[in-house]
Amino acid sequence: MVAASRRADEVDRIAGEIEGLGRRSLRCVADVRNRASIETLHNDARRKFGRVDILVNSAGTTLRVPTLECSEEDWSKILDTNLTGTLRACQIFGRTMIEQGYGRIVNIASLATLVAFRDVAAYGASKAAVGALTKSLAVEFAPHGVTVNAIAPGIFPTALNDELVSNTERGRELLMRTPMNRFGRLDEIAGGAIYLASDAASFVTGEILVIDGGYLASGVNR
């Protein structure tokens, strides 16, 4: 298993955890905005492990700003990371998977792939496009033994959004609209990713698996 990040300290930390479990890993810093760094990651992984069977695209960024005030520069930065970064990785790793006749690609979409959230239009547009890209690649890669799916997580507190979800009106509304009346745990995404990356999902492609505690199923919640 190989974890890639723009931050060398994060790469070292995760690689150390993987190796602590008796598994092999690789330390390679990569940035989805830089095609050459993804190619280096791909080449290093193939050199060490011989092949690459699974790709999970999880890099993402956002900015909360009213759409009329969103600069083209900020818009482009968000789409470059969330959408074009996903495309770059899918192109580079997908080509190898097609050549070897097997592969599993899992993209990280969002609830914003399917519904709108106020003041994050660039993020929503990028994630909606990730959903469309997932389906397009699924159709193109299917004849070659490669599946392409996505996961759309509900609300999962992280170091980046904990203040938002825990201490704001927006966070309280998100919780109110989640029928399970709690936010997700990161390990609850892992099961979906493991399924989509496994042979149990060999006939599943082009799907967006929503893991949201019932958020999208809910109408009136109170």
Side-chain angles (χ1 to χ4, degrees), residues 79-210:
L79 266 70
D80 189 39
T81 297
N82 297 357
L83 173 60
T84 312
T86 297
L87 171 66
R88 292 182 185 109
C90 286
Q91 286 179 325
I92 292 167
F93 285 86
R95 188 180 304 277
T96 292
M97 291 178 178
I98 287 172
E99 290 174 355
Q100 67 191 22
Y102 180 90
R104 300 284 184 264
I105 296 176
V106 180
N107 297 323
I108 301 301
S110 168
L111 293 182
T113 303
L114 305 164
V115 295
F117 290 79
R118 186 182 181 90
D119 295 339
V120 289
Y123 177 81
S126 71
K127 288 299 188 176
V130 166
L133 176 64
T134 296
K135 292 178 180 293
S136 292
L137 293 178
V139 171
E140 293 183 34
F141 291 4
H144 307 285
V146 180
T147 66
V148 187
N149 294 287
I151 292 174
I155 312 305
F156 287 77
T158 67
L160 293 177
N161 69 7
D162 186 63
E163 178 65 24
L164 170 68
V165 301
S166 301
N167 297 300
T168 67
E169 283 299 319
R170 192 179 182 97
R172 285 185 279 276
E173 180 182 351
L174 292 170
L175 181 61
M176 180 272 293
R177 294 186 60 179
T178 303
M180 286 191 175
N181 199 36
R182 67 173 176 85
F183 297 132
R185 301 187 307 270
L186 293 181
D187 63 286
E188 291 176 313
I189 298 178
I194 291 169
Y195 166 66
L196 292 175
S198 74
D199 286 338
S202 58
F203 201 56
V204 179
T205 197
E207 292 299 317
I208 300 174
L209 174 61
V210 179

